[in-house]
Amino acid sequence: MRPTQDTAPPYKALFHPRLDPKRGSAWLADPLALIPEGTQAPWRGLSTCDGLFVKYREAGRLASLRPPGSDRFERAMPLGLKLESCQQPVSAPLALIKGPGPGGRPGRWLIMDAIPGRNLAQLVTEDSLDESARVFGRLAGILAHFHDQGFRQRDLKAPNIMVTRAGELLLVDLEGMVALGKPASWKLRAKDLGRLGASFLSQAFVQSGVGPNHWDELLRLYLGACQQPIGEPGPLVEQISLYARKKVERNLASGRPLA
């Protein structure tokens, strides 16, 4: 599945192949209307158009010197379609538009449907511990399949895992995702899971009653769902824990949130 292309100078766009052309043409005609007046890059949030979530960025000074396809933001559109075609639980973009932004600077709009629901960090603080544990169990299988199918999320943290109102689990933030072309190595899996492990060590999770036993159970279910053969799981679990501790140390030192 490939995106379709369209232009309305000075703007050009890539659209999801199933997007209503009239809807896409309206965005392309005036992408500035998709973001609040006076927006400064980078910006992300619910659009002034109902039902849309938009990420807006401006191209850096060296953007034109980068090799084609090396920019994570622009890569999100084709990657999202690939993930969708592989039936991975993600929210695929509807459009990527490029052209002058506020003030005439080169801008880029990544447009997605807004997801009605909560992220994992919100769910943990608002729902019962038993419900959180059930979600952790479902998440373990989803992540195992995601890695087995040759994908990874380099920023796998609680805010990047959405639970829809219908109870569906979705992985978001396509800029952090990568298509590897083969099942993820155990080292890469450990890095992704280590980042998620840092969320489990955050104050919000701990205060909600989430403890080491919940994390251990998630890892047990994850390893049980993986198709990749593994010998003794102990060294892998220790490697995951090491990545989690290092992430906690870095984030605390820089004042960044864990969850």
Side-chain angles (χ1 to χ4, degrees), residues 1-14:
M1 185 163 51
R2 295 184 178 181
T4 61
Q5 302 181 42
D6 198 2
T7 59
Y11 298 103
K12 56 183 179 180
L14 295 176

Side-chain angles (χ1 to χ4, degrees), residues 160-174:
N160 286 338
I161 301 166
M162 294 294 297
V163 185
T164 71
R165 291 175 184 168
E168 184 180 9
L169 283 171
L170 296 177
L171 305 180
V172 298
D173 190 20
L174 288 166

Side-chain angles (χ1 to χ4, degrees), residues 132-142 169 217-218 221-222:
S132 295
R134 284 191 286 269
V135 172
F136 299 158
R138 291 167 52 209
L139 177 62
I142 287 172
L169 283 171
E217 177 66 3
L218 186 151
L221 293 172
Y222 171 88

Side-chain angles (χ1 to χ4, degrees), residues 10-25:
Y11 298 103
K12 56 183 179 180
L14 295 176
F15 292 128
H16 193 294
R18 290 197 292 269
L19 180 69
D20 181 348
K22 292 183 178 179
R23 196 179 184 198
S25 295

